[in-house]
Amino acid sequence: MPLPLAAAGLPQGEAQRAAFPGADHVGPTEGHPPAAMAFQGGVQLGWLLSTRQVLGGEGYGGRSLDVLVGLGMDCRVAGAVLLEQHEPILMLGIPPAALGDFVRGYAGLDIARSIRIGPAAPGTQSVQAISRATVSSHALNDAILGAARAVARSRGLACATPESRGPRLDLDSFQPEGWEALRADGAIARLGITAAEAAAALRRAGVADPAAALLPPAANYATLYVALATPAQIGANLLGRAEHARLLAEAAPGSSLVFLGGEGAWSFKGTTWVRSGVFERLQLVQGERTIPLTAAGHRPVTRLRAEGAPELRETALFLLPPEAGLDPARPWRLDLAIIGRGAEGGPAMALFPLTYPPPARLLLPGVEPPEERTGPAWHLAWTSQSGKLAVLGLALLALVTLLMLQHPVARRPRLWRTLRVGGLAFTLVWLGWYAGAQLSVVNLLAFIAALRDGFRWEPFLLDPLGFVLWAFVAVTLLFWGRGVFCGWLCPFGALQELLNLAARRLGLPQARIPFALHERLWPVKYLVFLGLLGLALGPTALAFTAAEVEPFKTAIILRFLRAPPFVAYALALLAAGLFVERFFCRYLCPLGAALALPARLGIFQWLRRHRQCGAPCQLCATSCPVQAIHPEGRINPNECIDCLKCQTLYHDRRRCPALRARPLPAAAGAGR
């Protein structure tokens, strides 16, 4: 039967029935965080909640993300429905049906246990990641689990453990507050040390000639701000709701976030932690337990979001796992050590303690639901794709070996052809169609958008294969230029070349573009890239729409399972490539243009040329599959795809006029 209207704008009708099958009535949305009770025949079944209402509705791309979730009284998901998403950085053309299927897969899962994104394993709960959209999978997972667990905590569901009966922190309530309001409430504690106080403390510690004595007595030697950032009322105001939710979602349940900010002459971080892995100037103490702050738990803070926040000299966020033993509902102390050298030459220090009692308004009676420890989302993504990463690593190692030994290979044309065709087939079938690791100009636009909106590594680490490929391409640009990717690792480029090879075998005529016209068509792809770059500085959605000039999504990521106009466009480009080899690569590819711009930074010249190349010999120029060789014999690194075909001719004594004109003993040393 139709559900009655619910208050406060919760979605109606079919979405509610899908999120909570069996419910015949939904009450008003109320409480903190907001949720609506779901009933059947007057008996409460659980709660209906919107992830956007609970968490603020931002995914990794900073745009609206909303899932309607039904949460049963047994802490199991009754159902989930994707209501809204606008994240082209994450989606990369994945059809809505795949996203909806992924979200529906949470039905029946227990939110009090860890949920694995990836293949099922014995004894674990898992949801299969969206094929070729790992980033999207984790963004949706964070939203569903983060919101459902927040509602479960606030309602004290039966899955909470009876052993923990002490007070607990209100982790989920949120109202916007500025820096000064948080300071006044005690949510942010402050420790101030003047130069005179530091000098006196160091003298008592036996430190000879302390540096503090060189400053005016009233000078600010060290000011330290400390806050427990785990509750949303503190952490979300300091860091922003999206960043706070992301940190908690990727951390092990029961972890704590501690924020530190500093001003003054003395750095609370120092520099030795980079080598030792421990911040030796800081320690957290609760009762008889001393908790070190380590580099492994350190998270950078790009900027503070709280209104009126000061411009601090340094900031840091420390993630303490559950096994660290911090009880956030009890007071704790942070010790700041000012370290100097004692009179006998050894180290000496003075400790300045700062006690942090949790704000009284955030303490609630009740119990905490048990949750199993999970790793960061990106770590889970890398673990789940370890097999593919191993295959990719071996393939990249083989490619580097081939490029390092290119001249011995080029002397054996049959071996070169076998490796060339085999490499292209691997790139197309395994790397492209199977693994979905097609790099795209969309990745560059996403990187630019991230730099503009507050850069974080996590969204990029959530795509392990893409991250490794981009790192490899960045390094090889310095050694070989753009050709390593364009010629060997681009699945769509491989598809074009293999189809053209088949066309040649079938006797299709090949169009030879006059070099003067060819040279004037080169700039088109650069103009396309610069246009996309300009759009990326404005509304991001417009840039991603324009990036459809690339047929990569259609032909590789979605394997032609797309709307007819997109398929027709991709097929038209491939048809042109039957007669003009790598037509799209030559004249339209914005990613090739982007990689070509730094191509001249290559520090080695691997491709050899004879003195006679171009004057008068044109053999290599006419044989180059992308016409990257100028009539005068010069190879254009902006256009070369490192296919090594010219090098097979360079070493071919039967076809190369320069070698045929030389005596045999001298041939081995030819070239420059």
Side-chain angles (χ1 to χ4, degrees), residues 46-139:
W47 282 267
L48 199 65
L49 60 108
S50 159
T51 61
R52 179 165 59 187
Q53 291 183 4
V54 175
L55 298 179
E58 289 188 10
Y60 286 123
R63 290 170 176 78
S64 180
L65 179 68
D66 196 10
V67 180
L68 186 66
V69 181
L71 177 63
M73 301 295 290
D74 58 353
C75 280
R76 292 187 178 273
V77 177
V81 179
L82 179 63
L83 299 178
E84 186 178 2
Q85 63 82 24
H86 302 285
E87 302 208 22
I89 294 177
L90 305 182
M91 307 327 306
L92 290 176
I94 302 301
L99 303 177
D101 291 343
F102 174 80
V103 168
R104 285 191 290 273
Y106 281 80
L109 299 185
D110 186 354
I111 67 165
R113 298 173 53 205
S114 62
I115 297 177
R116 184 170 181 260
I117 304 298
T124 65
Q125 297 185 120
S126 64
V127 180
Q128 183 62 49
I130 305 168
S131 178
R132 303 176 301 281
T134 306
V135 176
S136 303
S137 303
H138 287 284

Side-chain angles (χ1 to χ4, degrees), residues 341-661:
R341 190 167 297 279
E344 299 181 357
M349 69 175 65
L351 289 180
F352 290 84
L354 174 61
T355 300
Y356 187 90
R361 62 170 172 156
L362 297 182
L363 288 176
L364 300 174
V367 291
E368 191 76 9
E371 297 173 336
E372 295 180 2
R373 182 183 180 186
T374 59
W378 68 265
H379 177 76
L380 296 177
W382 284 68
T383 302
S384 65
Q385 298 199 38
S386 57
K388 292 181 180 178
L389 286 169
V391 174
L392 178 60
L394 292 174
L396 297 180
L397 178 61
L399 177 57
V400 170
T401 303
L402 169 62
L403 294 173
M404 295 292 290
L405 301 176
Q406 60 184 13
H407 293 293
V409 171
R411 291 189 180 97
R412 299 164 175 82
R414 183 174 297 178
L415 174 62
W416 168 77
R417 281 192 295 271
T418 301
L419 294 175
R420 180 67 181 163
V421 174
L424 293 175
F426 172 85
T427 295
L428 173 62
V429 176
W430 189 90
L431 192 62
W433 285 338
Y434 173 71
Q438 167 75 69
L439 300 189
S440 165
V441 73
V442 172
N443 303 122
L444 291 179
L445 299 182
F447 187 80
I448 293 169
L451 292 176
R452 183 188 61 190
D453 299 333
F455 182 80
R456 298 194 307 269
W457 280 110
E458 286 80 0
F460 301 95
L461 288 169
L462 283 170
D463 181 12
L465 296 178
F467 187 87
V468 170
L469 276 175
W470 273 115
F472 182 81
V473 170
V475 172
T476 54
L477 273 176
L478 297 176
F479 288 86
W480 288 281
R482 64 171 283 226
V484 176
F485 170 74
C486 295
W488 294 92
L489 294 174
C490 177
F492 189 77
L495 177 59
Q496 291 180 92
E497 188 166 332
L498 290 173
L499 287 176
N500 182 267
L501 178 61
R504 290 173 182 267
R505 295 286 177 88
L506 294 174
L508 268 65
Q510 298 297 301
R512 181 72 181 178
I513 307 297
F515 191 82
L517 175 61
H518 173 65
E519 192 173 29
R520 285 160 176 78
L521 291 175
W522 276 347
V524 174
K525 60 177 175 287
Y526 296 96
L527 294 176
V528 173
F529 170 68
L530 292 176
L532 292 174
L533 184 62
L535 291 175
L537 301 177
T540 312
L542 182 60
F544 287 112
T545 300
E548 290 290 351
V549 69
E550 284 183 337
F552 300 165
K553 295 181 198 175
T554 303
I556 304 300
I557 302 297
L558 301 180
R559 306 170 196 163
F560 296 100
L561 298 176
R562 211 176 182 195
F566 294 102
V567 175
Y569 172 67
L571 292 177
L573 292 175
L574 293 173
L578 297 177
F579 305 96
V580 179
E581 188 169 354
R582 285 184 175 251
F583 174 84
F584 177 78
C585 300
R586 294 196 202 187
Y587 306 125
L588 292 176
C589 182
L591 179 59
L595 297 179
L597 292 176
R600 294 185 181 274
L601 297 177
I603 58 179
F604 295 105
Q605 296 296 328
W606 298 89
L607 303 180
R608 298 178 183 176
R609 310 297 289 144
H610 292 296
R611 184 178 62 257
Q612 296 89 340
C613 291
C617 181
Q618 296 291 319
L619 178 62
C620 291
T622 57
S623 300
C624 178
V626 292
Q627 292 181 255
I629 303 177
H630 287 249
E632 68 271 18
R634 177 174 59 88
I635 297 177
N636 188 337
N638 291 47
E639 305 300 321
C640 177
I641 61 170
D642 272 316
C643 67
L644 305 182
K645 187 171 184 178
C646 64
Q647 298 305 285
T648 65
L649 298 174
Y650 174 91
H651 293 289
D652 193 335
R653 291 191 56 85
R654 294 178 300 172
R655 300 182 62 190
C656 178
L659 290 182
R660 290 170 60 184

Side-chain angles (χ1 to χ4, degrees), residues 169-205:
L169 281 176
D170 181 358
L171 299 178
D172 307 300
S173 296
F174 175 82
Q175 292 293 330
E177 276 190 311
W179 177 272
E180 292 302 327
L182 293 171
R183 284 271 297 112
D185 184 62
I188 302 175
R190 178 184 180 275
L191 171 67
I193 306 171
T194 65
E197 292 170 336
L202 289 170
R203 282 195 298 271
R204 289 194 297 271

Side-chain angles (χ1 to χ4, degrees), residues 6-26:
L10 265 180
Q12 309 300 316
E14 294 298 329
Q16 289 184 344
R17 283 191 288 273
F20 223 125
D24 55 25
H25 176 73
V26 176

